[in-house]
Amino acid sequence: MSNSVYDTYVSPLSTRYASTEMKFNFSDKKKFTTWRSLWTLLAQAEQELGLNITDQQLKELNDNVDNVDFAAAAEEEKLTRHDIMAHVHTYAACCPTAGPIIHLGATSCDIGDNADLIVLRDALDILLPKLAGCVKTLGEFADEHKHLATLGFTHLQPAQLTTVGKRACLWLQDLILCEKNISRIRADLKFRGIKGTTGTQASFLQLFNGDYEKVRELDIRVTRLAGFPDSYSVTGQTYPRIVDAEVVSSLSILGAVVHKMCTDLRLLAGMNEIGEPFEPTQIGSSAMAYKQNPMRSERVCSIARYLMNLVNNPLSTASVQWLERTLDDSANRRLCLSEAFLAADSIVLTLQNILEGLCVFPKVISRNIEKVLPFMATENIIIAMVKVGGDRQVCHEKIRVLSLEAASTVRLDGKDNDLLDRIVKDPYFAPILDQLSHLLDPSTFVGCAPDQVNHFLKEEVQPVVNKYISKIKTTATKLDI
């Protein structure tokens, strides 16, 4: 049988969609070197607090953090059926002097769970600037098109006009809420700390001969060496699994937000008002050569739908952790946590690419407005007639009758909306005919939309962009597939 990489299943999230940095963050190399880093930090803190650990042992541990024999570790795990102990053994094999003090006093979750929290923290730090990049690019789009009138829709039926920029701010509002939610979770994320088998720190109390203050100090030192300001005050064997549910929930909400936005873009693409990037060599259909499908937005919706449904896994896992812990969380977490972040990473990466290449077609937008603007202008016409002495109720009835006649022409005969022609021909409206061009100016129908965009960009968008400005990369985001 061939050993080709094409002979085995791999996740499309890792081969087609997610970024290199997010894939590395959930790689075996990141995980196992993080384990080794934690063993080194634990030994360092134990030495500082008086345990018999030498500088030579610490140097040996530190020098071999990246010297992982993955094949040997895999063989060890087959024998031991225990991933942490397999890596204790392979780490000890390349650290003969330090081998006896690796994992001293610790339980598996002192290493595995803390490493998972480091990975989650780093994943959030990868994702948040990308989300802010989408906010920045969409904010620039909103500013550019804040005056461009477009049909608003309620129930997918033409409603009052809005502007292209104002509509973009609706998407931005949701993205900003996502950033606030995810960044809060990032800020609240704690280290499990060095808590021992059931969270009582009993083994460490023995190591330090009953000195509880040294046990507390060990927890604090390792926590801070690992880059966390604080650890969870109490745990069972694991950190609270509800934390996973909270993290994945925030990503699922992001999935829902981006799904809604890209669905809107797909609808607008169907109306030919907005188009996503389309490469010169891109093929829209194998049969219909003219097609320019919104395939990037469709991809985002597809992956976002998957992400939105992942949240049930950590919720269920958190709900069935018996007493201090059970191991039925392990396999599920291996799948769910990585997939959630890879999916979230891929949708913001694709969204950034879409936003950088969005095309707006003002003439199509104008033509679509013209089809229904006469109906929308009726209230303005009634008000204008009243101002020149007309009776509001009489005017309303005349407009109602003419509107129904025009609607019938559109729906039954397939002709253009001729309501204005009917108004012009009716002597009743003669006093305001010279005002019709102004009454039908689309810019007079958008209300405060441009000003709302200005205010929103200043008060809501710019602060988010400023938080991540040194980390945002938005120029020419390229998708390989």
Side-chain angles (χ1 to χ4, degrees), residues 175-230:
L175 289 177
I176 287 171
L177 289 172
C178 285
E179 186 280 330
K180 289 181 179 178
N181 189 31
I182 296 171
S183 63
R184 178 194 61 78
I185 288 168
R186 166 64 180 88
D188 289 347
L189 196 66
K190 296 183 179 182
F191 205 53
R192 176 186 176 269
I194 305 303
K195 298 295 197 296
T197 305
T198 57
T200 65
Q201 299 173 306
S203 59
F204 296 104
L205 194 64
Q206 288 186 346
L207 277 175
F208 290 104
N209 299 315
D211 189 336
Y212 176 56
E213 289 307 313
K214 282 192 174 182
V215 173
R216 288 188 69 250
E217 183 62 24
L218 177 70
D219 194 340
I220 292 169
R221 289 194 183 199
V222 177
T223 295
R224 292 179 179 169
L225 286 168
F228 284 80
D230 201 4

Side-chain angles (χ1 to χ4, degrees), residues 171 174-175 178 248-264 300-301 303-309 311 344 347:
W171 302 328
D174 288 349
L175 289 177
C178 285
V248 177
S249 176
S250 72
L251 302 183
S252 295
I253 292 170
L254 173 62
V257 163
V258 179
H259 192 294
K260 191 272 183 192
M261 176 181 173
C262 286
T263 299
D264 285 353
V300 169
C301 289
I303 299 175
R305 190 160 59 245
Y306 172 72
L307 174 57
M308 289 155 58
N309 284 283
V311 70
I347 64 174

Side-chain angles (χ1 to χ4, degrees), residues 213-416:
E213 289 307 313
K214 282 192 174 182
V215 173
R216 288 188 69 250
E217 183 62 24
L218 177 70
D219 194 340
I220 292 169
R221 289 194 183 199
V222 177
T223 295
R224 292 179 179 169
L225 286 168
F228 284 80
D230 201 4
S231 65
Y232 295 104
S233 297
V234 294
T235 72
Q237 190 171 87
T238 68
Y239 68 81
R241 290 299 182 237
I242 201 67
V243 172
D244 292 343
E246 189 173 32
V247 169
V248 177
S249 176
S250 72
L251 302 183
S252 295
I253 292 170
L254 173 62
V257 163
V258 179
H259 192 294
K260 191 272 183 192
M261 176 181 173
C262 286
T263 299
D264 285 353
L265 289 174
R266 291 163 63 190
L267 291 170
L268 294 168
M271 300 173 194
N272 285 318
E273 292 193 353
I274 291 182
E276 65 175 37
F278 197 86
E279 308 296 339
T281 57
Q282 185 174 330
I283 296 174
S285 168
S286 61
M288 295 164 282
Y290 61 87
K291 294 191 76 178
Q292 296 186 28
N293 303 328
M295 54 82 66
R296 289 170 173 83
S297 296
E298 290 172 323
R299 175 196 300 177
V300 169
C301 289
S302 184
I303 299 175
R305 190 160 59 245
Y306 172 72
L307 174 57
M308 289 155 58
N309 284 283
L310 283 177
V311 70
N312 286 325
N313 287 276
L315 284 172
S316 296
T317 295
S319 73
V320 297
Q321 288 299 285
W322 303 346
L323 305 175
E324 278 64 48
R325 81 88 44 104
T326 58
L327 195 60
D328 60 338
D329 62 340
S330 178
N332 190 285
R333 292 177 70 249
R334 287 176 192 264
L335 293 167
C336 178
L337 296 181
S338 57
E339 294 277 291
F341 273 100
L342 291 174
D345 181 74
S346 70
I347 64 174
V348 295
L349 187 70
T350 308
L351 180 61
Q352 181 65 48
N353 176 265
I354 293 169
L355 295 176
E356 289 183 7
L358 272 186
C359 300
V360 177
F361 306 118
K363 290 185 179 180
V364 177
I365 291 172
S366 178
R367 188 167 67 246
N368 288 339
I369 289 174
E370 289 172 2
K371 293 177 182 177
V372 295
L373 190 59
F375 291 136
M376 294 183 182
T378 54
E379 185 175 8
N380 287 2
I381 292 172
I382 291 172
I383 292 172
M385 283 296 299
V386 171
K387 286 183 176 180
V388 296
D391 184 310
R392 192 265 179 197
Q393 313 312 327
V394 172
C395 185
H396 182 279
E397 179 60 18
K398 282 189 170 290
I399 289 286
R400 185 187 71 82
V401 172
L402 295 178
S403 295
L404 291 175
E405 291 173 355
S408 178
T409 298
V410 172
R411 292 173 176 172
L412 299 181
D413 301 331
K415 295 180 180 179
D416 292 337

Side-chain angles (χ1 to χ4, degrees), residues 110-160:
D110 287 318
I111 304 303
D113 263 36
N114 282 320
D116 287 347
L117 287 162
I118 289 172
V119 168
L120 291 179
R121 177 197 66 190
D122 293 351
L124 291 168
D125 286 345
I126 291 170
L127 184 66
L128 279 165
K130 294 182 179 180
L131 176 55
C134 292
V135 169
K136 179 178 183 293
T137 305
L138 186 55
E140 292 165 353
F141 176 88
D143 188 49
E144 180 182 357
H145 300 288
K146 62 190 173 188
H147 293 289
L148 180 57
T150 188
L151 272 179
F153 286 86
T154 59
H155 316 278
L156 203 55
Q157 301 297 312
Q160 273 194 345

